[in-house]
Amino acid sequence: MSRLSYRTGLRLMLAPFLLGALVLVLVPAVMTAGYAFTRYDGLSPAQFVGFDTYRDLLAYAELRRSLAATAAFVVLAVPLRVLGGLGLALLLHRRRARLAGTGRAAAYVPTVLPDAATALIWLWVVNPVYGPLAVVLQVGTGSPLLLDRWGARLTIVAIAVFALGEGFLVTLAARREVPQVLYDVARLEGARGTGLFRRVTLPMLAPVLGLLSARDLVVSMQVTLVPVLLLTRGGPLGATKTLPVLVYERGFRELRFGDAAALALLLFLLTVLLVAVQYRLLRRWFRAGAVQTGG
Amino acid sequence: MLAVVGPSGSGKTTLLRLVCGLLGPDEGSVRIGGQEQAGVPPERRPVAMVFQGYALFPHLTVRENVGFGLRVRRVRRGDRDARVHEAAQKLGLYDLLDRQPAELSGGERQRVALARALVRDPAVFCLDEPLSSLDPLLRADARRELADLLRADGRCAVFVTHDQSEAMTLGDRVAVLRDGCLEQVDTPRALYDAPATPFVASFVGTPAMSLLRRGSQVVGVRPEHVRLVPGQDAFVHAVEDHGHEVQVLLDVDGGRLVARVPVGDAPPVGSRVGVVLGRTTTWPVG
């Protein structure tokens, strides 16, 4: 057996991933950034139009509506997913508590399902004709769930919230890393219940929660595509036509690749901006408790 | 100053947790200065605890760690600062107040943990293995420092250790625990000279007391009370040179005996020697 040097081995191991990153991510990203300033239908050659695409996009209400739909989703889904994962982790972290094992499995399983499968199950649950949830809610509110602006938006949010398994798992692991003795220290001083949570749990989990919320923000900017296409097609009246959905429509339905590229670039820049703002706001969180107790 | 010593799982930490109120007793009672503590929550007991590994909050500075309890108790900021400064001064932490635990050495962390206990102004200090997470080279110094500090303050301290030499040197009295039962409480001297049970005898002293079966009795003898003379009583199993003295392991009727002999007086391994026992302690076989 021939022996490879460490560097050669490393290069061989990394090669497929570097190739993938180059061909599937970097090149398309650069091309997209380029197409963002052209008019291109995929058949005739791209025509350079500079910032005209953006000027046109900003002039129409559709982009504004789409930004509103995206914002509505992100603002609801990110905190719900992160806090939901935290809540479940705190409920289920004890190793020997009753039903904790079952609970942990149940909290994680929805994450394993493919997006499309989850969306189809939800479509059955909320479809206006015989969906059990939709029928019950319609009796209550009088209007079909998916035909209501917020009904449709909340449904998409709910789908995303159910798939919080990864955040849950990370938070669960982090909670188990918190030394029990720190709780003893706080209990000796009279902290109980919410005091323990505020003084010990929250600061010790803060770096993980900060990181999870940043990751969740990035994911949330993109994750709506499949459920929206399968459930609402962006409706009613564009209430759920989030940016990725708009990109998809412009590019693959209307073959206006220039517009789609411009929107994709906008989505990317917006994501970077939001994560940067979030990092500044939560900077203390990222650093707090980043080191383990000594001894 | 009471040292509590015993092997792992003998209930030392449980004892401390009972004293400070993290656990309630199944039976019996905890009294501090004559005051019954049943039903008194931990924050109202006149007890402070220094935990094993020190249990400092990694996200808080030294100042915040020391003042943690005062903060939870909603002590006013001015009072809090004054008390934190006083404790920090006493322990030489004044220049470290704005550091984080990760930036401190083991000894400094120990002092922070002590300062956090000190600001509570307790009647009783509970210390759980206060020296075990220190580098062995630092331990002797830290042990003296800790003794000085606790004695200077003149407060009652209960400290737990699995290291009998630590217990013997730090404790005014030493309690020996085994499987949750108290075997003996006495001064280190009395524990050494008159162990109440064979377990105490075998636990205290380096090397420990040798125990021999003699009919229905167990006979204990300290290594320094074994004298070697010409004869055939014992087989020399091994000789250990410790530098300042030599320990001779002897096989005799009823068990193994350790003798302490001056350097140069050790018999050769494999030879036979006579043995004269000086002071011995006997217990019935139990």
Side-chain angles (χ1 to χ4, degrees):
Chain A
M1 200 177 94
S2 71
R3 292 173 55 132
L4 298 174
S5 76
Y6 173 74
R7 293 181 70 89
T8 316
L10 194 65
R11 283 187 190 130
L12 273 176
M13 294 286 284
L14 284 176
F17 299 99
L18 288 175
L19 191 71
L22 190 73
V23 174
L24 299 175
V25 179
L26 203 61
V27 170
V30 171
M31 284 172 69
T32 302
Y35 282 131
F37 302 97
T38 65
R39 190 159 294 144
Y40 180 48
D41 60 8
L43 298 170
S44 37
Q47 258 183 300
F48 182 77
V49 294
F51 282 92
D52 283 8
T53 318
Y54 283 101
R55 206 188 53 208
D56 293 349
L57 281 173
L58 291 172
Y60 292 110
E62 188 158 38
L63 178 61
R64 261 180 285 136
R65 235 182 288 144
S66 177
L67 285 173
T70 310
F73 176 79
V74 168
V75 165
L76 289 172
V78 174
L80 281 176
R81 280 159 62 101
V82 174
L83 295 180
L86 173 65
L88 285 172
L90 295 184
L91 276 177
L92 300 173
H93 75 89
R94 280 186 196 85
R95 271 165 226 279
R96 279 189 292 272
R98 266 181 67 215
L99 292 179
T102 321
R104 286 194 290 270
Y108 186 71
V109 161
T111 310
V112 185
L113 292 177
D115 287 358
T118 313
L120 286 174
I121 293 169
W122 276 86
L123 183 58
W124 179 80
V125 173
V126 299
N127 84 77
V129 185
Y130 54 81
L133 186 62
V135 170
V136 169
L137 285 175
Q138 196 171 341
V139 171
T141 61
S143 71
L145 184 64
L146 290 184
L147 294 185
D148 178 76
R149 273 166 71 80
W150 283 101
R153 282 175 174 173
L154 289 176
T155 303
I156 302 297
V157 168
I159 294 173
V161 170
F162 263 83
L164 49 63
E166 282 171 24
F168 159 70
L169 215 58
V170 173
T171 316
L172 182 75
R175 172 59 186 81
R176 284 186 171 171
E177 289 293 305
V178 179
Q180 179 56 38
V181 70
L182 293 180
Y183 290 94
D184 289 341
V185 170
R187 277 174 59 209
L188 272 189
E189 305 296 348
R192 301 281 187 279
T194 54
L196 289 176
F197 174 73
R198 200 159 50 90
R199 303 270 181 208
V200 185
T201 310
L202 200 56
M204 294 301 286
L205 295 185
V208 163
L209 294 177
L211 210 62
L212 276 179
S213 57
R215 172 189 169 278
D216 212 79
L217 181 59
V218 175
V219 171
S220 294
M221 296 293 279
Q222 302 166 15
V223 81
T224 46
L225 181 63
V226 171
V228 167
L229 284 184
L230 284 171
L231 263 78
T232 66
R233 297 256 161 151
L237 296 173
T240 58
K241 196 179 283 183
T242 54
L243 272 176
V245 179
L246 192 59
V247 171
Y248 173 83
E249 274 195 357
R250 283 296 155 89
F252 297 100
R253 283 229 198 100
E254 302 165 18
L255 296 185
R256 288 157 66 181
F257 289 111
D259 284 11
L263 286 166
L265 188 61
L266 186 71
L267 177 61
F268 170 72
L269 293 175
L270 210 58
T271 307
V272 172
L273 181 77
L274 285 175
V275 170
V277 169
Q278 186 192 34
Y279 181 79
R280 282 202 73 86
L281 289 176
L282 298 182
R283 199 163 31 175
R284 274 201 61 206
W285 281 46
F286 279 95
R287 258 184 282 150
V291 280
Q292 267 303 312
T293 14
Chain B
M1 214 152 127
L2 174 70
V4 179
V5 67
S8 329
S10 58
K12 306 181 297 275
T13 300
T14 305
L15 179 71
L16 287 192
R17 295 171 74 88
L18 284 168
V19 172
C20 67
L22 286 172
L23 287 175
D26 290 331
E27 50 186 279
S29 65
V30 177
R31 254 172 279 154
I32 298 171
Q35 294 275 323
E36 171 60 47
Q37 298 294 312
V40 180
E43 67 271 19
R44 295 236 293 278
R45 296 190 181 193
V47 181
M49 177 116 169
V50 176
F51 288 90
Q52 184 169 18
Y54 312 138
L56 303 179
F57 290 98
H59 62 288
L60 301 180
T61 62
V62 170
R63 183 193 309 277
E64 290 162 336
N65 263 297
V66 174
F68 178 83
L70 303 175
R71 184 133 192 214
V72 175
R73 290 153 191 268
R74 302 176 194 288
V75 172
R76 279 204 355 261
R77 204 198 161 96
D79 287 354
R80 197 165 76 215
D81 284 350
R83 283 165 72 177
V84 168
H85 282 196
E86 193 191 337
Q89 203 101 58
K90 218 176 246 178
L91 287 156
L93 290 168
Y94 206 80
D95 297 329
L96 304 177
L97 278 176
D98 293 312
R99 300 255 193 105
Q100 301 223 309
E103 302 169 303
L104 302 179
S105 70
E108 288 164 346
R109 284 180 202 166
Q110 188 207 31
R111 301 213 302 270
V112 176
L114 281 170
R116 183 168 67 188
L118 206 59
V119 290
R120 266 187 88 151
D121 196 20
V124 182
F125 277 106
C126 290
L127 302 108
D128 193 355
E129 300 275 3
L131 301 170
S132 68
S133 41
L134 290 179
D135 187 305
L137 291 172
L138 292 171
R139 226 173 274 172
D141 281 342
R143 184 164 76 190
R144 256 163 246 132
E145 254 179 58
L146 186 64
D148 288 349
L149 180 92
L150 292 172
R151 294 231 161 80
D153 237 42
R155 270 184 251 232
C156 179
V158 181
F159 85 94
V160 149
T161 172
H162 63 270
D163 179 347
Q164 55 90 17
S165 70
E166 215 169 277
M168 299 289 277
T169 47
L170 267 177
D172 297 318
R173 286 190 309 154
V174 178
V176 182
L177 291 188
R178 177 199 196 184
D179 294 335
C181 292
L182 183 62
E183 296 264 315
Q184 189 173 5
V185 192
D186 217 324
T187 61
R189 174 50 54 195
L191 225 56
Y192 189 84
D193 289 341
T197 65
F199 175 78
V200 174
S202 67
F203 200 75
V204 169
T206 321
M209 200 174 234
S210 307
L211 300 177
L212 301 174
R213 256 321 259 279
R214 290 275 159 85
S216 64
Q217 289 187 318
V218 176
V219 176
V221 57
R222 293 279 173 203
E224 56 271 28
H225 297 139
V226 178
R227 203 152 51 85
L228 302 187
V229 293
Q232 295 293 313
D233 305 340
F235 174 76
V236 179
H237 183 90
V239 173
E240 291 178 351
D241 192 337
H242 288 253
H244 64 290
E245 67 173 25
V246 175
Q247 290 168 14
V248 182
L249 274 65
L250 302 161
D251 289 336
V252 295
D253 268 1
R256 176 165 289 175
L257 208 55
V258 181
R260 218 169 231 170
V261 300
V263 178
D265 283 4
V269 175
S271 63
R272 296 197 78 90
V273 291
V275 168
V276 175
L277 301 185
R279 194 190 325 163
T280 58
T281 314
T282 43
W283 305 273
V285 171

